Amino acid sequence: MIKKVQVSEVEVIKKYKNVSNRALTAGTLAFFAGFAAVALFGTTVLKVGPILHLNLVEISWLVAIPIVTGSLLRIPFSLLVDKYGRWTLFTQLVIGFLGMVGIAYTLKQINTLPHTTAYYMLLLFGAIAGTSISTFSSGITYVSYFFPQRKQGTALGIFAGIGNSAPGIFTAILPFALASLGLVNAYIAWASFLALMIIIYALISLDPLYITCIKRCGKNKDEAQNLLKAAGFEIVPSGSLSESLKNASKDPRVWALVIMYLTSFGGFEALTEWLPTYWKSFMHVTSVEAGILTGVVYSLVTALIRIFGGWSSDKFGGEKVALISYIIMILGSIVFIMAYSIPISVSAEIIMAIGMGIANGAVYKLVPRYSPKAVSGASGLVGGLGSAGGLLIPPVMGYIASATNFPYAFTVFTILGIVSVALSVTLWKIGGNKNE
């Protein structure tokens, strides 16, 4: 039973709701800056590969390493938000900044270092820089605590949509930065940008009210939860990091969301890596054109339409929106399979972007809905394991393309889309009606 609290206390807590947009701004800025921090790494690999005489396997590890750490660290950092609040994201950004500085230093000294030493230094600092990508799941947890259920989809759609736009935006401006600054100075500029964003985040961010009640009001965990519930806050931490992860992992609906997110967001990461090769090797466009088609036409569209996905999920229900979005994605994959001209391929790319972007917003609308007492654990599992698709899907596509025909690689998304449609229907008819 909820403990009765003083009216004055409740009124004070209600006033805290007015800062929700400020928290959304802070969390979005952190994710955008963190994601942008590793935008240069793919180009770095292309530049240093010939210098260090790297083979294909070594190059693949360099490309993958920021994504590996950015994915694996999402679960622990998401859990830590319940205990350390806004300083969790701050720590992730600082670690990412140190990785950026380390990469810049290595590149500056690359001609004087032994090749093996330089390679392992780039691996190390690339892994450290990848920590900033993990701000996604911790940011989802952070933002969730400031909004009621009915606004979760829109708020998280804005957070992830703007944050995910970083690769597209920075991919578009990257050629100009490299031409005017050079690779080393471009890293210094990126690190300076990240440092500025860290300072701004530290100034405007604030702890979730649950943390404030414990740290500043002298409340224990139960009292803090009671105060929040009495004031109308629906998303409340469980009070235990292990309990949050345990509760989330026991819910089959969370695992359904993991698979669905692996399809849409893991697929988004995979296509961001894969499409430049597709455009250059199969459609024979220039490197600049491949960058624009991937970074702007695909990545930016996918990121920005995620905002609509979150909003529409608030209005019509995440399960229904997810179902429609995965059908759209399947349609896009089929068009890709049959595409042998640039206009048709561009159309397929846009259709895929729309389906994946809306699906990403719909899935994360459902995370706090299904796990209101274990948002940190559920967000970490869905974000961390779901993003593994960015590592698993490209090799599968490569195998299919080499064994059959290049366009047939997109059958991966047809299959994953069908699985996600089935899960969406299941959640809609069974799991979607079960609220806790």
Side-chain angles (χ1 to χ4, degrees):
M1 182 178 293
I2 296 177
K3 177 183 175 182
K4 186 175 181 180
V5 298
Q6 297 179 7
V7 176
S8 58
E9 287 181 318
V10 174
E11 291 302 319
V12 169
I13 295 174
K14 284 183 177 179
K15 290 180 181 179
Y16 199 82
K17 295 181 180 179
N18 296 328
V19 300
S20 58
N21 288 335
R22 175 178 164 184
L24 174 58
T25 300
T28 303
L29 181 147
F31 180 41
F32 180 89
F35 216 162
V38 294
L40 278 171
F41 211 67
T43 302
T44 301
V45 173
L46 296 177
K47 295 283 186 179
V48 304
I51 297 174
L52 301 180
H53 307 294
L54 303 179
N55 59 41
L56 185 59
V57 174
E58 291 168 332
I59 290 175
S60 299
W61 271 111
L62 269 185
V63 171
I65 197 66
I67 300 175
V68 171
T69 53
S71 299
L72 295 179
L73 292 176
R74 287 182 176 185
I75 296 175
F77 275 117
S78 179
L79 293 171
L80 290 174
V81 173
D82 286 357
K83 186 172 183 179
Y84 298 107
R86 67 191 185 112
W87 297 113
T88 303
L89 282 80
F90 178 84
T91 301
Q92 291 167 275
L93 292 178
V94 170
I95 294 173
F97 170 77
L98 295 176
M100 293 283 287
V101 172
I103 293 171
Y105 171 79
T106 304
L107 293 174
K108 188 172 183 179
Q109 304 294 327
I110 197 167
N111 291 319
T112 62
L113 292 170
H115 289 177
T116 302
T117 302
Y119 174 70
Y120 283 113
M121 287 178 66
L122 287 174
L123 275 179
L124 172 63
F125 290 122
I128 294 173
T131 303
S132 60
I133 304 178
S134 64
T135 50
F136 171 73
S137 58
S138 55
I140 287 283
T141 302
Y142 173 77
V143 171
S144 294
Y145 290 146
F146 289 89
F147 290 88
Q149 288 277 15
R150 68 182 185 278
K151 295 182 178 180
Q152 288 284 329
T154 301
L156 298 181
I158 292 172
F159 164 83
I162 295 177
N164 279 330
S165 69
I169 293 174
F170 284 91
T171 298
I173 67 175
L174 185 55
F176 303 100
L178 292 175
S180 59
L181 300 175
L183 188 58
V184 175
N185 288 332
Y187 260 101
I188 294 174
W190 251 251
S192 300
F193 164 78
L194 182 55
L196 177 63
M197 294 301 101
I198 291 172
I199 294 172
I200 296 175
Y201 171 80
L203 292 175
I204 69 173
S205 63
L206 63 162
D207 279 325
L209 187 54
Y210 175 77
I211 303 293
T212 301
C213 286
I214 293 175
K215 287 185 176 180
R216 299 182 182 178
C217 301
K219 304 294 183 181
N220 60 38
K221 293 177 180 178
D222 291 337
E223 289 174 331
Q225 290 176 349
N226 290 335
L227 287 171
L228 291 170
K229 293 175 182 177
F233 285 82
E234 300 164 294
I235 310 299
V236 181
S238 63
S240 166
L241 304 184
S242 59
E243 184 180 349
S244 179
L245 185 59
K246 181 180 178 180
N247 289 340
S249 63
K250 290 192 300 184
D251 193 335
R253 297 172 300 174
V254 172
W255 290 105
L257 295 181
V258 168
I259 297 173
M260 292 163 65
Y261 203 61
L262 184 146
T263 299
S264 54
F265 185 75
F268 163 72
E269 291 182 314
L271 282 185
T272 300
E273 301 171 31
W274 177 262
L275 284 175
T277 302
Y278 171 83
W279 287 116
K280 291 178 64 178
S281 300
F282 186 67
M283 287 297 172
H284 307 293
V285 304
T286 66
S287 296
V288 173
E289 290 170 335
I292 293 173
L293 287 169
T294 302
V296 178
V297 178
Y298 176 72
S299 295
L300 198 55
V301 171
T302 306
L304 294 180
I305 204 167
R306 181 170 182 156
I307 300 174
F308 171 77
W311 174 84
S312 60
S313 296
D314 279 342
K315 190 172 181 65
F316 303 108
E319 297 88 357
K320 297 177 184 177
V321 173
L323 172 61
I324 295 172
S325 64
Y326 286 115
I327 292 175
I328 294 173
M329 193 195 83
I330 292 171
L331 175 62
S333 68
I334 293 173
V335 176
F336 252 132
I337 293 170
M338 299 185 297
Y340 285 89
S341 68
I342 291 178
I344 296 178
S345 294
V346 171
S347 300
E349 186 178 61
I350 293 173
I351 295 171
M352 290 278 282
I354 292 172
M356 287 178 161
I358 295 176
N360 289 336
V363 168
Y364 259 93
K365 159 67 179 180
L366 298 175
V367 169
R369 179 186 173 190
Y370 291 164
S371 298
K373 297 180 181 179
V375 174
S376 59
S379 176
L381 286 174
V382 175
L385 299 181
S387 64
L391 302 174
L392 301 176
I393 295 175
V396 176
M397 294 182 71
Y399 174 79
I400 295 175
S402 61
T404 56
N405 197 5
F406 213 110
Y408 292 162
F410 292 95
T411 56
V412 172
F413 292 102
T414 305
I415 296 170
L416 289 174
I418 292 172
V419 172
S420 295
V421 164
L423 291 173
S424 299
V425 172
T426 302
L427 291 177
W428 182 14
K429 292 188 174 181
I430 302 175
N433 296 321
K434 180 182 176 184
N435 291 300
E436 298 173 355

